Amino acid sequence: MTDRISEFLAKAATGPVQLSIHDLLATWGFRYRDFDNVGRIERDLAAASLRCEPSFADGSMRTTVTVAAISSGEAEAADQTAASSGADESAPGAVEEDEQLVLPQVAWLVRDVPSATAGIEFVHPSATLEQAQQIMMENGFSQLAVMTGPAELKGAVSWEGIAKARVANASVNLGGAIDRFPRVVYADQELLDQLGVIYAAGFVFVRDQDDCVSGIITNADLTSQFADLAMYQCGLQH
């Protein structure tokens, strides 16, 4: 158990702590909910005689929950229930019921796509088109941000945009090839709500809570993300 978790449990034991589900998961170092993550947090809370209301296994990542100490009456009731359950299981002829594994709801945020917070390569508007192309070729980029600072997104340049610009002007410069209104999403938005925007645009830039550009998501990134999720779920089912 990390110091951060221990400090949080100690604080909640002295008085109720309110926070978002996202921040609760982050205390344990988790970015999303799955069966193992939820189980780990629930065990740690129970061991510290704490409970979470409402349950953090459901709802949006922005939902506020309260972590507080279990009252003595609740603790005694839980002990009696556990003791009764144990006696029933050991009684002759007890019937064992198959338990179906139910995964908690997973609320994916834009930030859960690794590239959304991986940082951003960019070129200054004063650069030449050749300099922008060099950065794109060296990094295997299909598009590149045009920025004057961490939060100052001036547009994007892409191979497709360059090709279209050159049809009209063979000697086009960087300014003539820039898409000045690229699509932007925010890291704390729910990913499923933004899928249509991302797929339609082909790529989007991501802004964090400080409004700085923290990364980029392309259609290829989405394909990889959901392939990983599908493989994970298949592994649980087998």
Side-chain angles (χ1 to χ4, degrees):
M1 185 179 296
T2 66
D3 291 341
R4 184 179 182 185
I5 297 173
S6 298
E7 291 173 2
F8 173 80
L9 295 176
K11 181 179 180 181
T14 61
V17 175
Q18 288 190 326
L19 71 172
S20 68
I21 292 176
H22 172 267
D23 290 340
L24 178 64
L25 294 174
T27 300
W28 268 258
F30 301 141
R31 297 177 60 189
Y32 57 88
R33 290 172 292 193
D34 62 22
F35 184 78
D36 293 331
N37 294 351
V38 170
R40 162 70 188 282
I41 296 175
E42 288 180 336
R43 288 192 298 272
D44 287 349
L45 292 178
S49 297
L50 300 171
R51 60 184 172 82
C52 180
E53 292 291 342
S55 173
F56 67 93
D58 300 303
S60 164
M61 287 290 197
R62 293 187 292 271
T63 299
T64 297
V65 296
T66 301
V67 178
I70 299 174
S71 67
S72 57
E74 289 175 324
E76 290 176 2
D79 290 340
Q80 291 175 357
T81 300
S84 175
S85 175
D88 290 342
E89 290 176 359
S90 60
V95 178
E96 296 182 0
E97 297 182 357
D98 293 334
E99 294 184 358
Q100 181 179 2
L101 176 64
V102 178
L103 289 175
Q105 175 185 352
V106 177
W108 292 91
L109 299 183
V110 168
R111 72 176 69 203
D112 290 320
V113 180
S115 62
T117 56
I120 190 79
E121 290 281 347
F122 67 90
V123 66
H124 194 276
S126 63
T128 66
L129 183 58
E130 288 71 23
Q131 289 172 322
Q133 290 176 302
Q134 184 66 27
I135 294 174
M136 293 168 67
M137 287 188 293
E138 289 178 351
N139 293 278
F141 295 157
S142 296
Q143 55 280 315
L144 180 66
V146 180
M147 301 171 61
T148 56
E152 302 299 324
L153 179 64
K154 300 303 181 181
V157 61
S158 66
W159 291 120
E160 181 181 1
I162 293 171
K164 289 181 178 179
R166 279 182 170 158
V167 170
N169 180 5
S171 58
V172 66
N173 59 19
L174 178 62
I178 293 176
D179 172 5
R180 300 188 182 277
F181 301 99
R183 299 306 298 265
V184 175
V185 299
Y186 287 84
D188 288 333
Q189 290 179 302
E190 292 201 12
L191 181 58
L192 292 181
D193 292 341
Q194 303 304 317
L195 289 183
V197 173
I198 299 172
Y199 278 121
F203 69 93
V204 296
F205 293 109
V206 181
R207 288 190 183 274
D208 61 20
Q209 60 184 4
D210 298 320
D211 214 35
C212 293
V213 180
S214 61
I216 184 173
I217 299 178
T218 67
N219 286 348
D221 294 322
L222 287 181
T223 300
S224 175
Q225 183 75 6
F226 286 107
D228 289 345
L229 176 59
M231 291 177 64
Y232 172 79
Q233 291 179 327
C234 287
L236 286 177
Q237 293 170 359
H238 291 83

